[in-house]
Amino acid sequence: MIKLTNVTKIYAKDTLAVDNLTLEVRDGEIFGFLGPNGAGKTTTIKMIVGLLKPTKGSIKINNIDINYEPEKAKKMIGYVADEPLVMEKLRGIDYLKFIADVFEVPYASRMKRIKDLLEDFKLVNSIMDPVSTYSHGMKQKLMLIAALLHEPDVWVLDEPIVGLDPESSYILKKLMRKHANSGKTVFFSTHVMEIAEKLCDRIGIIDKGKLLYIGTIEELRKLKGSESLEELFLELTGSNLPQLEALDKEL
């Protein structure tokens, strides 16, 4: 479970990135977090996993406040960032062993877990190579394996499908569904409406730091009409008309 209550993030120069955000992601569900570029998705995710502190408000992971008990909360989270940033001078296997040590994964279970995930994501043949030789997609797979290695209750994935080949994308989606069906939590952001529509139990739509909608896609259709999720998303987040009018005046 993830619970955000009145969370606000203000950067320097009074830039409001997230504005009084309240939402709850339940156990046993896949929750899709949608919004245009610059809407506040990644800032929200970084606050959830403890990389950023909110200006105000509280964030709880399985009822543990991440601001007051960060280590306890972070052990429950498997996090994949929007960019695969890993230690490139290490071999892939050494990076995974390092992550296993950080999360205190017992030796016997870590080896089975690593082997299973390497086979799932088809990375067995490259795991002894330096990470610096990996493609973007391979680094993304390594990040996913590292995030899932300690079998966390809560998955927080920022654009996890980007960079994956179709087979790995399919495998990840199956793992996400299996994790949610076991009573655990999956929170992920995406720009791909088709993935959100097929995979999510509920969605949240954010724009300019404000939560515009939270609920199921079917509930949104009843509220707004029977359009596709892409059309509903565009309707909720508005158009660029005011900005274009301002640009016309400048030109």
Side-chain angles (χ1 to χ4, degrees):
M1 182 269 288
I2 303 170
K3 187 174 183 179
L4 286 73
T5 306
N6 303 124
V7 172
T8 295
K9 180 62 180 178
I10 302 173
Y11 289 116
K13 297 182 181 179
D14 297 325
T15 301
L16 182 61
V18 176
D19 187 2
N20 201 39
L21 178 61
T22 295
L23 66 83
E24 183 172 330
V25 183
R26 304 162 185 159
D27 293 334
E29 76 173 349
I30 298 176
F31 186 91
F33 199 45
L34 315 179
N37 291 332
K41 299 190 303 299
T42 294
T43 295
T44 300
I45 286 172
K46 286 183 176 179
M47 289 191 288
I48 289 172
V49 301
L51 291 175
L52 290 175
K53 283 196 172 185
T55 306
K56 69 173 185 177
S58 70
I59 299 172
K60 293 183 178 181
I61 309 297
N62 290 344
N63 293 316
I64 305 298
D65 192 310
I66 196 161
N67 287 322
Y68 292 99
E69 298 182 88
E71 288 187 12
K72 190 173 181 181
K74 288 176 183 180
K75 283 185 177 181
M76 301 177 184
I77 299 171
Y79 168 56
V80 175
D82 57 340
E83 284 291 331
L85 302 174
V86 291
M87 301 173 181
E88 299 208 353
K89 291 185 179 180
L90 295 180
R91 297 181 304 163
I93 189 63
D94 295 325
Y95 178 72
L96 294 179
K97 287 160 68 176
F98 168 72
I99 294 297
D101 287 340
V102 168
F103 284 97
E104 300 176 333
V105 181
Y107 180 79
S109 58
R110 82 169 58 173
M111 296 314 297
K112 182 179 186 312
R113 185 72 174 155
I114 287 173
K115 287 178 181 177
D116 288 347
L117 288 167
L118 286 173
E119 288 177 6
D120 282 342
F121 288 103
K122 305 295 186 291
L123 207 59
V124 174
N125 293 335
S126 307
I127 200 61
M128 297 301 179
D129 299 335
V131 177
S132 59
T133 66
Y134 286 16
S135 68
H136 178 91
M138 291 165 69
K139 290 176 185 175
Q140 186 76 356
K141 292 180 187 181
L142 187 67
M143 286 276 288
L144 282 162
I145 293 168
L148 307 184
L149 182 54
H150 62 293
E151 299 186 277
D153 286 349
V154 177
W155 294 6
V156 180
L157 314 175
D158 195 357
E159 296 283 356
I161 308 297
V162 174
L164 293 182
D165 57 77
E167 184 179 12
S168 297
S169 173
Y170 175 75
I171 290 165
L172 176 59
K173 286 182 280 188
K174 281 185 65 177
L175 289 172
M176 290 165 71
R177 177 44 60 195
K178 182 179 178 182
H179 191 69
N181 287 348
S182 71
K184 309 294 177 59
T185 303
V186 178
F187 179 103
F188 82 106
S189 69
T190 182
H191 280 105
V192 184
M193 296 297 124
E194 184 181 1
I195 290 174
E197 196 157 7
K198 290 181 178 178
L199 196 59
C200 297
D201 299 304
R202 290 191 306 143
I203 61 168
I205 298 177
I206 187 173
D207 190 25
K208 299 180 178 67
K210 281 187 172 292
L211 188 66
L212 303 181
Y213 174 78
I214 184 168
T216 68
I217 294 171
E218 281 307 309
E219 288 167 346
L220 180 58
R221 283 204 177 100
K222 289 177 183 176
L223 186 68
K224 293 287 184 180
S226 58
E227 299 101 323
S228 69
L229 179 57
E230 187 174 31
E231 290 169 326
L232 292 167
F233 173 81
L234 292 171
E235 183 181 341
L236 272 176
T237 56
S239 70
N240 291 322
L241 187 57
Q243 290 85 346
L244 290 171
E245 287 175 348
L247 181 59
D248 284 339
K249 291 177 182 178
E250 288 293 328
L251 294 173

